[in-house]
Amino acid sequence: MAEEFVKEITPRAEDYSQWYVDCVLKAELADYAPVRGCMVIRPYGFAVWEKIQAILDRRFKETGHENAYFPLFIPRGFLERESEHVEGFAPELAWVTRGGGEELAEPLAVRPTSETMICSMYAKWIHSYRDLPVLINQWCNVVRWEKATRPFLRTTEFLWQEGHTAHAREEEAREEALRMLEIYRDFLEEDLGIPVIAGEKTPSEKFAGAAHSYSVEALMGDGRALQAGTSHDLGQNFSRPFDISFLDRDGQLKHVWQSSWGVSTRLIGALIMVHGDDRGLVLPPRIAPVPAVLVPIAPERAREAVLGRARQLAAALEGVHLDDRDEYTPGWKYNDWEMRGVPLRIELGPRDLEQGKAVLVRRDTGEKVPVDQEALPRAMAQMSSAVQAGIKERARNFLQERTWPVDNLDQLRFRLEERRGMFIAGWCGDDACEAAVKEATGATARNIPFAPAARSAACVVCGKAAAHTVYYARAY
Ligand SMILES: [Zn+2]
């Protein structure tokens, strides 16, 4: 039997980014690919992504969206039609210049996002107000040539969903962008247990080509922010160059109003960093691929009796994986499943068997509760809800403790040197002041929150009256 402790994970206090990589690699979520900047999502990590997909896909369909699929390759001319868009993405584009042994007449970009491709098709499909709204989502991969990469957080190729909608009226596109942001916010908080700040991006941080960009921002365990999802009101910025027009009820030819929105496999990085601890991952029960594991404690004398009952229980209980591997000790298995973030563990030993009991253990707090075997389904459902609520509460408290209002740039700088977190500060609206914060502190404007925790009277840089309250943070 293997007695050695489970694969070591670097403590967070010693080296946070090594801890993160250890979680990714040792819990077998992903591995480095033989292609620079790319990762392989392993079955356990992909199972988490499938859970995320299943919940979001249902919510997209409930709000009237349909899935479709568009090509991976985008002709250069498409990207060049919207000038801000091409400028924004130019440094990150990967190009295909040869195919079938020949130089291509027009190079093809590997999609960094699909606005241009999808707009070219909407121009073909939309003619009348009767064709609107068009509400389409695509689950796919995208490529952005990144210089510094980190599994799940920033990789050259990643998986995501991108919604693209077209509407007859400006306010409908704006409402759609905000509706989808609200779905992201609710999903992050209720299903992933990750509290977020919802708000509007500053003009310098908005999506290249958008009229308004909105985001949900989360705070990671090291006090750095992570943009967890974005939604854009595109106005007519794409419908004009792509000439997506429709004949309205009043007989006038008009351009449509559009939105686009997306979340990616980055969410898995957020899950690791918001909930994980020095033992490894802590997964919210709603998206854990293995909701509970049953570990039999079966010494030789009671082996058959314990294993027999364990098999019966595992077959009868929903979502329980029986770990009956012979070659590992129970202690080794505890550590292994804790590292993988399995929310609940059931222990069953000879004494439990005699008393008709089992022991339930919570991954997030380590709390152990003896339970009558007959009462397991109810006790597990209760404990599972308690874990889901408990990790969300912990993350919310952390976000509150690490959010500080600041009055001036020095205060922001000193505070940031002490501890990372979210800083609430006033902003006059001038790009130069926003740039000055970044220059002096490395913190960027995360968003202008819809509901700020505090309001600021004066710009943190120039001292003029604040037009907005902004969340600043160092971010991934
Ligand atoms: Zn200012």
Side-chain angles (χ1 to χ4, degrees), residues 155-323:
T155 49
T156 299
E157 179 189 8
F158 59 89
L159 303 183
W160 78 345
Q161 59 70 214
E162 48 180 321
H164 296 270
T165 68
H167 308 262
R169 310 273 167 261
E170 182 175 19
E171 57 279 14
E172 285 174 35
R174 176 81 49 90
E175 280 163 17
E176 166 78 5
L178 291 171
R179 180 181 310 121
M180 301 324 284
L181 190 79
E182 173 57 18
I183 285 182
Y184 292 155
R185 187 202 62 73
D186 189 68
F187 167 70
L188 273 145
E189 301 203 342
E190 299 310 317
D191 296 303
L192 304 189
I194 298 177
V196 290
I197 291 153
E200 179 167 355
K201 286 283 184 189
T202 60
S204 75
E205 296 280 339
K206 76 177 166 64
F207 174 72
H212 298 273
S213 285
Y214 307 100
S215 72
V216 280
E217 304 281 335
L219 191 64
M220 303 298 102
D222 62 348
R224 282 170 75 177
L226 183 94
Q227 180 178 288
T230 52
S231 184
H232 315 289
D233 168 4
L234 301 175
Q236 293 178 318
N237 292 351
F238 287 86
S239 67
R240 287 180 184 278
F242 283 87
D243 198 22
I244 313 173
S245 51
F246 68 102
L247 203 58
D248 206 350
R249 286 170 193 276
D250 59 8
Q252 303 281 310
L253 199 60
K254 297 173 185 172
H255 286 107
V256 299
W257 301 84
Q258 292 181 273
S259 88
S260 68
W261 29 272
V263 295
S264 72
T265 35
R266 243 191 164 197
L267 290 176
I268 299 175
L271 278 172
I272 298 168
M273 289 193 287
V274 170
H275 301 308
D277 60 23
D278 285 344
R279 306 177 80 82
L281 308 179
V282 177
L283 292 177
R286 288 198 195 173
I287 57 101
V290 180
V293 62
L294 198 166
V295 179
I297 306 155
E300 210 47 54
R301 61 185 166 81
R303 205 183 130 72
E304 279 319 307
V306 170
L307 279 177
R309 184 64 183 139
R311 286 192 191 104
Q312 281 175 350
L313 284 173
L317 294 165
E318 207 181 317
V320 173
H321 171 79
L322 172 65
D323 186 353

Side-chain angles (χ1 to χ4, degrees), residues 427-428 430 433 459 461-464:
W427 178 47
C428 61
D430 189 338
C433 287
C459 176
V461 178
C462 68
K464 285 185 200 151

Side-chain angles (χ1 to χ4, degrees), residues 19 31 50 68 80 153 165 215 227 268 271 323 371 391 454 475:
W19 166 82
D31 203 351
E50 285 177 324
E80 288 170 349
L153 297 176
T165 68
S215 72
Q227 180 178 288
I268 299 175
L271 278 172
D323 186 353
V371 176
I391 60 174

Side-chain angles (χ1 to χ4, degrees), residues 14-171:
E14 194 181 304
D15 183 344
Y16 194 84
S17 50
Q18 189 57 48
W19 166 82
Y20 175 79
V21 170
D22 285 351
C23 285
V24 169
L25 299 180
K26 291 175 181 174
E28 298 180 345
L29 292 172
D31 203 351
Y32 292 109
V35 181
R36 198 195 145 275
C38 293
M39 67 171 171
V40 174
I41 305 176
R42 301 186 66 174
Y44 192 58
F46 204 80
V48 173
W49 180 237
E50 285 177 324
K51 288 274 188 180
I52 290 172
Q53 277 189 308
I55 298 173
L56 284 176
D57 200 63
R58 178 172 52 75
R59 302 198 70 169
F60 297 160
K61 285 172 181 161
E62 281 168 0
T63 42
H65 303 86
E66 299 175 295
N67 287 329
Y69 188 79
F70 296 84
L72 169 68
F73 303 116
I74 299 183
R76 184 172 63 191
F78 281 20
L79 285 164
E80 288 170 349
R81 274 195 226 172
E82 212 291 323
S83 59
E84 240 186 80
H85 189 64
V86 70
E87 266 173 47
F89 280 102
E92 301 176 350
L93 291 176
W95 291 100
V96 178
T97 56
R98 286 184 71 80
E102 284 171 31
E103 203 74 19
L104 303 182
E106 182 177 16
L108 299 170
V110 182
R111 67 178 160 221
T113 178
S114 301
E115 274 76 7
T116 58
M117 172 58 68
I118 292 177
C119 283
S120 78
M121 299 312 296
Y122 283 3
K124 256 173 100 171
W125 298 341
I126 297 169
H127 304 288
S128 152
Y129 67 89
R130 294 181 200 90
D131 301 326
L132 296 169
V134 175
L135 309 172
I136 288 181
N137 175 63
Q138 166 168 256
W139 291 98
C140 67
N141 58 343
V142 285
V143 165
R144 295 177 188 177
W145 216 258
E146 299 283 0
K147 291 200 173 68
T149 60
R150 206 190 297 237
F152 291 114
L153 297 176
R154 202 170 286 282
T155 49
T156 299
E157 179 189 8
F158 59 89
L159 303 183
W160 78 345
Q161 59 70 214
E162 48 180 321
H164 296 270
T165 68
H167 308 262
R169 310 273 167 261
E170 182 175 19
E171 57 279 14

